[in-house]
Amino acid sequence: MAKLSLFERRRRRVRTALRTRAGGKPRLSVHRTGKHIYAQIIDDGAGKTLASASTLGGKASGANVDAAKQVGSDIAAAAKKAGVTTVVFDRGGFLFHGRVKALADAAREGGLEF
C-alpha cells in the first residue's frame, strides 16, 4: 500500500474528528483549486447535497480571498433558503487560513453557526 500524502492524511484526520462531533448536523465542505473555490452543505445521513456555491457560476470569479468571501456569503444564503442554520465545518485537508478562512468568516457573518 502506498503511503498517503500529507494532504490526504490531514483530510482523513479532519473527517474522522468531524464524525465524532457532528451529532447529525450537516457538513459544510470546502474544496479549493488554483482557479476556483467550492462549498457544499451535505447531509451525510441522507447522502444529499442541501446547498452549494462556487466561483464557477456565481457572482465571484477567480480564486482569491475576495472570491472566497463571496462564496461564503452565497453558501450562507443558500443554507438559509434550505432551512439550515447550524453546520460542522469540513476544511478537508486544506489549512485554515487564507481563502478557506475567508470563506468560513463570510459564512458565519451570513448567519451560519459552526
Side-chain angles (χ1 to χ4, degrees), residues 27-90:
R27 173 169 54 102
L28 172 57
S29 177
V30 174
H31 181 73
R32 68 175 175 80
T33 64
K35 292 186 176 185
H36 297 285
I37 189 159
Y38 311 85
Q40 289 183 325
I41 296 181
I42 304 165
D43 182 4
D44 288 319
K48 292 189 177 185
T49 299
L50 304 174
S52 65
S54 71
T55 55
L56 282 177
K59 302 169 209 159
S61 63
N64 53 19
V65 173
D66 294 330
K69 288 179 186 177
Q70 183 63 46
V71 171
S73 60
D74 290 349
I75 195 70
K80 278 187 179 179
K81 190 174 181 180
V84 176
T85 56
T86 60
V87 296
V88 290
F89 188 72
D90 178 13

